[in-house]
Amino acid sequence: KAGVTQTPRYLIKTRGQQVTLSCSPISGHRSVSWYQQTPGQGLQFLFEYFSETQRNKGNFPGRFSGRQFSNSRSEMNVSTLELGDSALYLCASSRNSGLAGGPGSGELFFGEGSRLTVL
Amino acid sequence: AQTVTQSQPEMSVQEAETVTLSCTYDTSENNYYLFWYKQPPSRQMILVIRQEAYKQQNATENRFSVNFQKAAKSFSLKISDSQLGDTAMYFCAFMKHAGANNLFFGTGTRLTVIP
């Protein structure tokens, strides 16, 4: 069974540009959540998508957005990049949305991440 | 707001020995989940163990076990018979029951297993 696939693995952008990151979840998983990992702030929740609907959003500015397609693949977009957006962006898939609670809640399967460098 | 604290930035253990990683958390929720995730140098995060707050019995997964003290809001991870492959960053994480897969992570403990 293929794992969570994130593309691209590495990318370099300049301030003011925008970037789109892609995540393909494990087959059968309908929830995709995104996390930002930086040395200073650690791991922070960006948002979760389930069945093409955003279920929850973390404390990030509106420059950070995402979407999910009918095949559960998800993209996140960051517009008007700032230096502070340099980070490892992790995507995680889960069979169910965490809002459901119950068995499997919070059992996330992570991809290897997309390393974004903003110059 | 939920906070997760890992007070040990780095730890080391001899191969085959036992090590305990500490984690405390703060929440006003009564029903929630706690996790330990492992991030090896290859950086893919892997779930190690999961605990549901309403269960008094401590979770175990092979060489990994937890000591969950709900009243003290403590959730430590014990790794027995440490192996070189256990070298990684370990993150403690909290999620509210029905919390939209929104995990609150601690800052991590870097564990090195010494041959």
Side-chain angles (χ1 to χ4, degrees), chain B residues 64-105:
Chain B
F64 299 88
S65 61
V66 299
N67 183 2
F68 173 48
Q69 301 290 328
K70 190 173 184 180
K73 295 181 181 174
S74 169
F75 184 62
S76 61
L77 174 69
K78 185 172 83 172
I79 306 174
S80 304
D81 185 27
S82 297
Q83 301 175 0
L84 296 179
D86 295 334
T87 293
M89 282 289 286
Y90 286 81
F91 292 96
C92 178
F94 168 100
M95 191 183 93
K96 292 191 289 186
H97 184 265
N101 283 331
N102 178 359
L103 296 177
F104 294 87
F105 285 91

Short mmCIF file of all heavy atoms in Angstrom, two decimals, chain B residues 64-105:
data_model
loop_
_atom_site.label_atom_id
_atom_site.label_comp_id
_atom_site.label_asym_id
_atom_site.label_seq_id
_atom_site.Cartn_x
_atom_site.Cartn_y
_atom_site.Cartn_z
N PHE B 64 7.42 -0.36 23.44
CA PHE B 64 7.02 0.99 23.82
C PHE B 64 5.82 0.93 24.76
O PHE B 64 4.85 0.22 24.49
CB PHE B 64 6.65 1.81 22.58
CG PHE B 64 7.80 1.97 21.61
CD1 PHE B 64 8.01 1.02 20.62
CD2 PHE B 64 8.64 3.06 21.69
CE1 PHE B 64 9.07 1.16 19.73
CE2 PHE B 64 9.69 3.20 20.80
CZ PHE B 64 9.91 2.26 19.82
N SER B 65 5.89 1.67 25.84
CA SER B 65 4.76 1.74 26.77
C SER B 65 4.69 3.15 27.32
O SER B 65 5.67 3.91 27.28
CB SER B 65 4.91 0.72 27.90
OG SER B 65 6.08 0.98 28.65
N VAL B 66 3.52 3.49 27.82
CA VAL B 66 3.35 4.83 28.39
C VAL B 66 2.95 4.72 29.85
O VAL B 66 2.42 3.71 30.31
CB VAL B 66 2.29 5.66 27.62
CG1 VAL B 66 2.72 5.85 26.18
CG2 VAL B 66 0.92 5.02 27.71
N ASN B 67 3.22 5.81 30.56
CA ASN B 67 2.73 5.98 31.92
C ASN B 67 1.83 7.20 31.89
O ASN B 67 2.31 8.34 31.84
CB ASN B 67 3.88 6.16 32.90
CG ASN B 67 3.38 6.27 34.34
OD1 ASN B 67 2.19 6.17 34.61
ND2 ASN B 67 4.30 6.47 35.26
N PHE B 68 0.55 6.97 31.86
CA PHE B 68 -0.44 8.04 31.74
C PHE B 68 -1.01 8.35 33.12
O PHE B 68 -1.63 7.49 33.76
CB PHE B 68 -1.55 7.60 30.78
CG PHE B 68 -2.71 8.54 30.70
CD1 PHE B 68 -2.52 9.90 30.53
CD2 PHE B 68 -4.02 8.06 30.78
CE1 PHE B 68 -3.60 10.78 30.44
CE2 PHE B 68 -5.11 8.91 30.70
CZ PHE B 68 -4.90 10.28 30.53
N GLN B 69 -0.78 9.56 33.56
CA GLN B 69 -1.29 10.02 34.84
C GLN B 69 -2.21 11.21 34.57
O GLN B 69 -1.77 12.35 34.42
CB GLN B 69 -0.13 10.46 35.75
CG GLN B 69 0.89 9.38 36.03
CD GLN B 69 0.33 8.29 36.93
OE1 GLN B 69 -0.50 8.55 37.78
NE2 GLN B 69 0.79 7.06 36.72
N LYS B 70 -3.52 10.92 34.49
CA LYS B 70 -4.46 11.94 34.06
C LYS B 70 -4.54 13.12 35.02
O LYS B 70 -4.56 14.27 34.62
CB LYS B 70 -5.86 11.34 33.85
CG LYS B 70 -6.83 12.29 33.17
CD LYS B 70 -8.14 11.60 32.84
CE LYS B 70 -9.07 12.55 32.07
NZ LYS B 70 -10.35 11.90 31.72
N ALA B 71 -4.56 12.82 36.30
CA ALA B 71 -4.68 13.89 37.29
C ALA B 71 -3.46 14.80 37.25
O ALA B 71 -3.56 16.02 37.37
CB ALA B 71 -4.86 13.30 38.68
N ALA B 72 -2.33 14.23 37.02
CA ALA B 72 -1.08 14.99 36.98
C ALA B 72 -0.83 15.55 35.59
O ALA B 72 0.13 16.32 35.39
CB ALA B 72 0.09 14.12 37.41
N LYS B 73 -1.63 15.17 34.62
CA LYS B 73 -1.48 15.59 33.22
C LYS B 73 -0.06 15.28 32.74
O LYS B 73 0.66 16.13 32.21
CB LYS B 73 -1.82 17.07 33.06
CG LYS B 73 -3.29 17.34 33.35
CD LYS B 73 -3.67 18.80 33.18
CE LYS B 73 -5.15 18.98 33.52
NZ LYS B 73 -5.55 20.40 33.50
N SER B 74 0.28 14.02 32.93
CA SER B 74 1.60 13.54 32.56
C SER B 74 1.46 12.32 31.65
O SER B 74 0.58 11.48 31.87
CB SER B 74 2.37 13.17 33.83
OG SER B 74 3.55 12.49 33.54
N PHE B 75 2.35 12.24 30.68
CA PHE B 75 2.25 11.18 29.68
C PHE B 75 3.65 10.82 29.21
O PHE B 75 4.13 11.34 28.21
CB PHE B 75 1.38 11.67 28.51
CG PHE B 75 1.11 10.65 27.45
CD1 PHE B 75 0.42 9.49 27.71
CD2 PHE B 75 1.51 10.88 26.13
CE1 PHE B 75 0.16 8.55 26.71
CE2 PHE B 75 1.26 9.95 25.12
CZ PHE B 75 0.58 8.79 25.42
N SER B 76 4.32 9.94 29.93
CA SER B 76 5.70 9.61 29.59
C SER B 76 5.77 8.35 28.74
O SER B 76 4.89 7.49 28.79
CB SER B 76 6.54 9.44 30.86
OG SER B 76 6.02 8.38 31.64
N LEU B 77 6.81 8.27 27.95
CA LEU B 77 7.04 7.14 27.05
C LEU B 77 8.26 6.36 27.52
O LEU B 77 9.33 6.94 27.71
CB LEU B 77 7.28 7.63 25.63
CG LEU B 77 7.68 6.56 24.59
CD1 LEU B 77 6.49 5.63 24.29
CD2 LEU B 77 8.18 7.22 23.30
N LYS B 78 8.08 5.07 27.70
CA LYS B 78 9.19 4.20 28.05
C LYS B 78 9.54 3.32 26.87
O LYS B 78 8.68 2.65 26.29
CB LYS B 78 8.86 3.33 29.27
CG LYS B 78 10.05 2.50 29.75
CD LYS B 78 9.78 1.79 31.07
CE LYS B 78 9.02 0.51 30.90
NZ LYS B 78 8.94 -0.26 32.16
N ILE B 79 10.83 3.34 26.53
CA ILE B 79 11.33 2.49 25.45
C ILE B 79 12.24 1.45 26.09
O ILE B 79 13.26 1.80 26.72
CB ILE B 79 12.11 3.30 24.39
CG1 ILE B 79 11.25 4.45 23.86
CG2 ILE B 79 12.55 2.39 23.25
CD1 ILE B 79 11.99 5.39 22.92
N SER B 80 11.86 0.21 25.97
CA SER B 80 12.65 -0.88 26.53
C SER B 80 13.54 -1.49 25.45
O SER B 80 13.22 -1.42 24.26
CB SER B 80 11.73 -1.97 27.11
OG SER B 80 10.85 -1.43 28.06
N ASP B 81 14.67 -2.08 25.89
CA ASP B 81 15.56 -2.75 24.95
C ASP B 81 15.85 -1.85 23.74
O ASP B 81 15.62 -2.22 22.58
CB ASP B 81 14.94 -4.07 24.49
CG ASP B 81 15.85 -4.89 23.59
OD1 ASP B 81 17.09 -4.74 23.71
OD2 ASP B 81 15.33 -5.67 22.77
N SER B 82 16.34 -0.66 24.01
CA SER B 82 16.56 0.35 22.96
C SER B 82 17.40 -0.19 21.81
O SER B 82 18.40 -0.91 22.02
CB SER B 82 17.25 1.58 23.56
OG SER B 82 16.42 2.19 24.51
N GLN B 83 17.00 0.17 20.61
CA GLN B 83 17.70 -0.26 19.41
C GLN B 83 18.21 0.96 18.64
O GLN B 83 17.68 2.06 18.79
CB GLN B 83 16.76 -1.09 18.54
CG GLN B 83 16.24 -2.33 19.24
CD GLN B 83 15.21 -3.08 18.44
OE1 GLN B 83 14.85 -2.70 17.31
NE2 GLN B 83 14.70 -4.18 19.00
N LEU B 84 19.22 0.74 17.81
CA LEU B 84 19.80 1.85 17.06
C LEU B 84 18.73 2.56 16.21
O LEU B 84 18.77 3.78 16.04
CB LEU B 84 20.94 1.36 16.17
CG LEU B 84 22.15 0.79 16.91
CD1 LEU B 84 23.20 0.30 15.92
CD2 LEU B 84 22.76 1.81 17.86
N GLY B 85 17.78 1.81 15.73
CA GLY B 85 16.72 2.39 14.92
C GLY B 85 15.75 3.27 15.69
O GLY B 85 14.90 3.92 15.09
N ASP B 86 15.89 3.28 17.01
CA ASP B 86 15.04 4.17 17.83
C ASP B 86 15.58 5.59 17.84
O ASP B 86 14.91 6.50 18.34
CB ASP B 86 14.96 3.65 19.26
CG ASP B 86 14.27 2.29 19.35
OD1 ASP B 86 13.45 1.98 18.46
OD2 ASP B 86 14.56 1.54 20.32
N THR B 87 16.78 5.80 17.31
CA THR B 87 17.33 7.16 17.24
C THR B 87 16.42 8.03 16.39
O THR B 87 16.17 7.73 15.22
CB THR B 87 18.75 7.12 16.65
OG1 THR B 87 19.62 6.45 17.56
CG2 THR B 87 19.27 8.53 16.40
N ALA B 88 15.93 9.12 16.99
CA ALA B 88 14.95 9.97 16.31
C ALA B 88 14.54 11.11 17.22
O ALA B 88 14.90 11.15 18.41
CB ALA B 88 13.70 9.16 15.94
N MET B 89 13.78 12.04 16.66
CA MET B 89 13.05 13.02 17.47
C MET B 89 11.73 12.39 17.88
O MET B 89 11.05 11.78 17.05
CB MET B 89 12.78 14.29 16.66
CG MET B 89 13.96 15.22 16.53
SD MET B 89 14.36 16.05 18.08
CE MET B 89 13.01 17.23 18.17
N TYR B 90 11.38 12.57 19.14
CA TYR B 90 10.11 12.05 19.64
C TYR B 90 9.23 13.22 20.05
O TYR B 90 9.63 14.07 20.85
CB TYR B 90 10.34 11.09 20.81
CG TYR B 90 10.89 9.77 20.36
CD1 TYR B 90 12.25 9.61 20.10
CD2 TYR B 90 10.04 8.67 20.16
CE1 TYR B 90 12.75 8.40 19.65
CE2 TYR B 90 10.54 7.45 19.72
CZ TYR B 90 11.89 7.33 19.47
OH TYR B 90 12.39 6.13 19.03
N PHE B 91 8.03 13.22 19.51
CA PHE B 91 7.09 14.30 19.80
C PHE B 91 5.89 13.74 20.56
O PHE B 91 5.27 12.75 20.14
CB PHE B 91 6.59 14.95 18.52
CG PHE B 91 7.64 15.72 17.77
CD1 PHE B 91 8.34 15.13 16.72
CD2 PHE B 91 7.92 17.03 18.09
CE1 PHE B 91 9.30 15.83 16.02
CE2 PHE B 91 8.89 17.74 17.40
CZ PHE B 91 9.58 17.15 16.37
N CYS B 92 5.58 14.40 21.64
CA CYS B 92 4.35 14.13 22.36
C CYS B 92 3.26 15.01 21.76
O CYS B 92 3.53 16.17 21.41
CB CYS B 92 4.58 14.45 23.84
SG CYS B 92 3.16 14.24 24.92
N ALA B 93 2.06 14.49 21.62
CA ALA B 93 1.00 15.28 21.00
C ALA B 93 -0.33 15.03 21.68
O ALA B 93 -0.59 13.95 22.22
CB ALA B 93 0.91 14.94 19.51
N PHE B 94 -1.17 16.05 21.62
CA PHE B 94 -2.49 16.04 22.26
C PHE B 94 -3.54 16.35 21.19
O PHE B 94 -3.31 17.17 20.30
CB PHE B 94 -2.50 17.13 23.35
CG PHE B 94 -3.85 17.45 23.91
CD1 PHE B 94 -4.24 16.92 25.12
CD2 PHE B 94 -4.72 18.31 23.25
CE1 PHE B 94 -5.49 17.21 25.67
CE2 PHE B 94 -5.97 18.61 23.78
CZ PHE B 94 -6.34 18.07 24.99
N MET B 95 -4.68 15.70 21.32
CA MET B 95 -5.80 16.04 20.45
C MET B 95 -7.09 15.97 21.24
O MET B 95 -7.32 14.99 21.95
CB MET B 95 -5.89 15.08 19.26
CG MET B 95 -6.88 15.55 18.20
SD MET B 95 -7.06 14.39 16.84
CE MET B 95 -8.45 13.42 17.42
N LYS B 96 -7.90 17.00 21.11
CA LYS B 96 -9.20 16.97 21.76
C LYS B 96 -10.04 15.86 21.12
O LYS B 96 -9.89 15.57 19.93
CB LYS B 96 -9.92 18.31 21.57
CG LYS B 96 -9.27 19.45 22.30
CD LYS B 96 -10.15 20.69 22.29
CE LYS B 96 -10.21 21.30 20.92
NZ LYS B 96 -10.97 22.59 20.94
N HIS B 97 -10.91 15.28 21.92
CA HIS B 97 -11.86 14.33 21.34
C HIS B 97 -12.68 15.08 20.30
O HIS B 97 -13.16 16.17 20.54
CB HIS B 97 -12.77 13.78 22.44
CG HIS B 97 -13.71 12.73 21.94
ND1 HIS B 97 -15.00 13.01 21.55
CD2 HIS B 97 -13.53 11.42 21.72
CE1 HIS B 97 -15.57 11.89 21.14
NE2 HIS B 97 -14.71 10.92 21.24
N ALA B 98 -12.82 14.50 19.14
CA ALA B 98 -13.50 15.18 18.04
C ALA B 98 -12.79 16.50 17.72
O ALA B 98 -13.41 17.55 17.64
CB ALA B 98 -14.98 15.42 18.37
N GLY B 99 -11.50 16.41 17.51
CA GLY B 99 -10.69 17.62 17.32
C GLY B 99 -10.13 17.82 15.95
O GLY B 99 -9.07 18.40 15.79
N ALA B 100 -10.82 17.32 14.92
CA ALA B 100 -10.48 17.63 13.53
C ALA B 100 -9.04 17.29 13.19
O ALA B 100 -8.40 17.99 12.42
CB ALA B 100 -10.74 19.10 13.22
N ASN B 101 -8.49 16.21 13.76
CA ASN B 101 -7.11 15.82 13.50
C ASN B 101 -6.15 16.98 13.72
O ASN B 101 -5.11 17.09 13.05
CB ASN B 101 -6.96 15.25 12.09
CG ASN B 101 -7.48 13.82 12.01
OD1 ASN B 101 -7.46 13.10 13.00
ND2 ASN B 101 -7.96 13.43 10.85
N ASN B 102 -6.52 17.87 14.64
CA ASN B 102 -5.67 19.00 15.00
C ASN B 102 -4.84 18.57 16.21
O ASN B 102 -5.32 18.58 17.34
CB ASN B 102 -6.53 20.20 15.33
CG ASN B 102 -5.71 21.39 15.78
OD1 ASN B 102 -4.48 21.32 15.85
ND2 ASN B 102 -6.36 22.49 16.09
N LEU B 103 -3.61 18.17 15.93
CA LEU B 103 -2.72 17.74 17.00
C LEU B 103 -1.92 18.93 17.52
O LEU B 103 -1.42 19.74 16.73
CB LEU B 103 -1.74 16.68 16.49
CG LEU B 103 -2.35 15.34 16.04
CD1 LEU B 103 -1.26 14.44 15.50
CD2 LEU B 103 -3.04 14.66 17.20
N PHE B 104 -1.81 19.02 18.83
CA PHE B 104 -0.93 20.00 19.46
C PHE B 104 0.33 19.24 19.86
O PHE B 104 0.27 18.31 20.66
CB PHE B 104 -1.59 20.61 20.68
CG PHE B 104 -2.79 21.45 20.36
CD1 PHE B 104 -4.04 20.86 20.25
CD2 PHE B 104 -2.67 22.81 20.15
CE1 PHE B 104 -5.16 21.63 19.94
CE2 PHE B 104 -3.78 23.58 19.85
CZ PHE B 104 -5.03 23.00 19.74
N PHE B 105 1.45 19.66 19.30
CA PHE B 105 2.71 18.95 19.52
C PHE B 105 3.58 19.65 20.56
O PHE B 105 3.57 20.89 20.67
CB PHE B 105 3.51 18.87 18.22
CG PHE B 105 2.99 17.87 17.23
CD1 PHE B 105 2.06 18.25 16.27
CD2 PHE B 105 3.44 16.56 17.24
CE1 PHE B 105 1.58 17.34 15.33
CE2 PHE B 105 2.97 15.64 16.31
CZ PHE B 105 2.04 16.03 15.35
#
